């Protein structure tokens, strides 16, 4: 649980204010990893390694596209500003003040 965002790993379900948020497999994995490390910055390399299961060499926009889509889905639910970009490092999940 992060604020009103609820992640049920057993059911692989996400809700915000008790309203379901439909996510793809990778979006769920990203959100779960970010929430498991709430308020800690997770590097792009770690996100790619843990969610995609490999060490990516080079520049990849796959992560950026998935983060953008995840933010959009969370935004539609009312919590799109939970995912923060830490420039040149990675991302973190936090409840805005």
């Amino acid at each position: 649980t992060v604020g009103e965002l609820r992640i049920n790993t057993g059911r692989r379900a996400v809700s915000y204010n008790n309203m379901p948020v439909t996510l793809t497999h990778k979006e769920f994995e990203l959100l779960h990893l970010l929430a498991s490390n709430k308020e800690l910055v997770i590097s792009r390399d770690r996100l790619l390694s843990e969610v995609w299961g490999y060490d990516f060499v080079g520049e990849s926009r796959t992560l950026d596209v998935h983060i953008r889509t995840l933010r959009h889905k969370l935004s539609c639910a009312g919590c799109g500003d939970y995912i923060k970009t830490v420039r040149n490092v990675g991302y973190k999940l936090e409840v805005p003040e």
Side-chain angles (χ1 to χ4, degrees):
T1 301
V2 180
E4 293 300 315
L5 183 65
R6 308 248 186 276
I7 303 166
N8 184 321
T9 56
R11 292 187 13 230
R12 295 189 64 82
V14 175
S15 65
Y16 181 75
N17 282 336
N18 296 318
M19 298 297 295
V21 179
T22 303
L23 301 178
T24 66
H25 177 76
K26 294 294 185 193
E27 291 165 352
F28 182 88
E29 293 297 318
L30 273 172
L31 183 61
H32 179 251
L33 181 57
L34 290 166
S36 297
N37 295 278
K38 182 176 78 170
E39 298 190 19
L40 297 176
V41 179
I42 303 187
S43 72
R44 294 176 56 81
D45 290 340
R46 180 173 171 205
L47 288 167
L48 283 168
S49 177
E50 291 195 30
V51 174
W52 277 266
Y54 61 87
D55 292 322
F56 186 81
V57 178
E59 186 67 27
S60 171
R61 291 289 160 220
T62 299
L63 177 59
D64 300 321
V65 170
H66 279 79
I67 290 286
R68 183 175 61 236
T69 305
L70 180 56
R71 278 182 173 147
H72 175 74
K73 289 180 179 183
L74 293 175
S75 179
C76 290
C79 60
D81 51 352
Y82 275 33
I83 299 175
K84 306 292 184 192
T85 300
V86 179
R87 192 175 172 113
N88 297 322
V89 180
Y91 298 94
K92 67 179 178 175
L93 187 73
E94 68 180 16
V95 177
E97 294 180 17

